[in-house]
Amino acid sequence: MWTSGRMSNAKNLFGLGVSLYFWGLMDLTTTVLSGSARPLTEGQEDNLSDKLHQRMKRSWVWNQFFVLEEYTGTDPLYVGKLHSDMDRGDGSIKYILSGEGAGIVFTIDDTTGDIHAIQRLDREERSQYTLRAQALDRRTGRPMEPESEFIIKIQDINDNEPKFLDGPYVASVPEMSPVGTSVIQVTATDADDPTYGNSARVVYSILQGQPYFSVDSRTGLIRTALMNMDREAKEYYEVIIQAKDMGGQLGGLAGTTTVNITLSDVNDNPPRFPQKHYQMSVLESAPVSSTVGRVVAKDLDEGINAEMKYSLVDGDGLDVFDINTDPNYQVGIITVRKPLSFESKKSYTLKVEGANPHLEMRFLNLGPFRDTTTVHISVEDVDEPPVFEPSIYFVEVPEDVEIGTTIQIISAKDPDVTNNSIRYSIDRSSDPGRFFYVDIISGALMTARPLDREDISWHNITVLAMELNNPSQVGSVSVTVKVLDVNDNAPELARFYEAFVCENAKAGQLIQTVSAIDRDDPQEGQHFYYSLAPEAANNPNFTLRDNQDNTAWILTRRSGFRQHEQSTFFLPILISDNGRPVLSSTGTLTVHVCSCDEEGMVMSCNAEAYVLPVSLSRGALIAILACIFVLLVLVLLILSMRRQRKQPYIIDEEENIHENIVRYDDEGGGEEDTEAFDIAAMWNPREAQLVVKNRQDMLPEIESLSRYVPQACVMDNNVHNYMLAKLYEADMDLWAPPFDSLQTYMFEGNGSVAESLSSLQSVTTDSDQSYDYLTDWGPRFKKLAEMYGATDSSGALW
């Protein structure tokens, strides 16, 4: 019979002086064996083996051993004792141990069966070991009993404190949350055996964070413990939670963790403007959509709860200004909605509202969640460029308009209060041909050169208006000039026509169809009339038929043409148009007489050469060529001698040497120089003679100042008409040197109340003139009045 011995080895654990005893429990059974207790023979072993295979009841049954963990003694820890009923104590039985930890963690005394632990045991690393034990005959090594399995369990002690594996924790809870609102649940883990004692029973408590938060001692759920917690007052909280085992009893182990709790924002603060009045200013020249200023309403909330919506709710500038919300900075940006004018309105008042678009119903009692402020905007005056009325001009003018004719009055004004004077000009880049001129003061747009619709039918020019006191302020307007057609081009043959007539042609035979072109473009369309020129009206050879479709036929009037009699005919054709006035031109049709076959196909159009009865000899031809060469040499010599002769520039009875000096910057010789040009033209161009002294230093000769100026232009009240005509005349005369004195500056026009003030005119009249009216012209003419007016002294002035 096998029995288990009692574990009587007391050990000191953790220095506490507590003696612990370990007992190995065994379920003992009785087995009746034949014979005495001695080693089995081979036959008996076989017999025993058969019986074992027949599931014979074992003579020992193991339960389990218990051993305390964390033994710190120096001697091996006694676990238990194995004993077989076949062991008579004489050492004939040998105990062996196998399985988990055998020989490494656990050893057995092979004679006594005592089991010891030779290493420190930790239940958290391994809670039990499964081993196998067997009794052998020490002499033969044969098993005395079948191998049996048993378990050694490691008994737990409280050697592990609770740990927060997920700590530290971060959590958030909305501000103003009710008491008891769940924030976060924390969990501590104890590695001790939860099935043995209270080593793993954890209790939670709060060490820091009261009175704001509380924790459930059993579940570790953290809740709010104080009402009306305001994020704007305090946003961050650090809470320390403790977990203690042994049910929180004295001597239990504890672990802590930190929970960082943030109060999230809710919309519990209405927006407020820090200023109830804003003062802003904007230039009247500010473009549309430009920024005037910014307003901002403060909101203690953040994120979506601090979003703002700005609007204009009242004021006299609702249609002039607009306000937009900057989503990044939550400010209201006031912008210009319509163009401003200092002269129309100098200031505006706006009422601006800022409101939260996202509201929470439970906090409406803290509102209203909107606020208003007043904005005063002053419009500042700037020096604006002149403004044209209208903003675009369209002018139609016939192409035969005379130079200097006013075709449109361009009008601009200074929009400023000062209303400065305006000066007009043309942007020459828009009129490179200089076809137009604008009066600098009145804005009258005039023609400066002849217009030709066939060359340029449209002119797009830009007229500039500049303030007299501030030339940097320039306005512009587009003027579109459409040149209307007039009948100023005679029709002409569409191409060079060359016809052929056969010698055997019959009378009335068609030899050519002609057509014409006209550069004009009448509104009623082109229609041409054809006829033979008056000198060929009774032509006996050919006749013309007008087809009334802008074409005409040329027909033979007779037959019997002969090349040797006349090989070529030139037929003049008169072409007229339907314009007003009617214009016509004469074109020539060349008709060749040709030899043709019977079918009318041209064979030859060259007349046979006649044989001269007498032929010229080679010597005669050389003599003729020599004479021609000598004549050419003589002509060239005469021309060269005439070029070298020096002749006076001016053919006159009384010549002055100073009149032969020509300089570019010569402005004239003053009042005493009366020979270089007709001085009467400076007095009054209307009295200028058509024939003046001729100069021979240029070709063509420079004629009178008024030669090419139509009389209607000279008599025009506007002096610019005359000047423009003279300018065009000078531009067109490519041979004339640029004499400044040729331009007339003393002509003041018929409308001048003072007429001409030049003293040059006094030499042409013997009548006495009265200048008393100069005293009525004001301070500017005071000096002239003193020089020419009557005095109280009866004596002479000189």
Side-chain angles (χ1 to χ4, degrees), residues 5-9 11 22 76-81 114-116:
R6 184 184 64 176
M7 295 182 295
S8 60
N9 190 10
K11 304 298 179 182
F22 304 89
L77 176 63
Y78 180 73
V79 177
K81 184 180 181 63
D114 292 333
I115 300 175
H116 292 82

Side-chain angles (χ1 to χ4, degrees), residues 748 752-758 769-790:
E748 299 182 4
S752 175
V753 296
E755 297 183 354
S756 177
L757 297 181
S758 174
Q769 299 186 33
S770 175
Y771 298 97
D772 294 340
Y773 55 85
L774 293 176
T775 58
D776 300 331
W777 286 9
R780 295 186 178 181
F781 296 90
K782 180 179 180 181
K783 188 65 175 178
L784 289 176
E786 293 176 355
M787 296 175 60
Y788 293 94

Side-chain angles (χ1 to χ4, degrees), residues 499-506 509 511 542 556 558 561 567 569 591-596 602 605:
F500 303 92
V501 61
C502 294
E503 289 181 321
N504 56 358
K506 299 179 180 180
Q509 182 176 340
I511 63 172
F542 303 98
T556 57
R558 66 178 180 86
F561 293 93
S567 61
F569 295 89
V591 182
H592 298 282
V593 180
C594 302
S595 298
C596 303
V602 176
C605 294

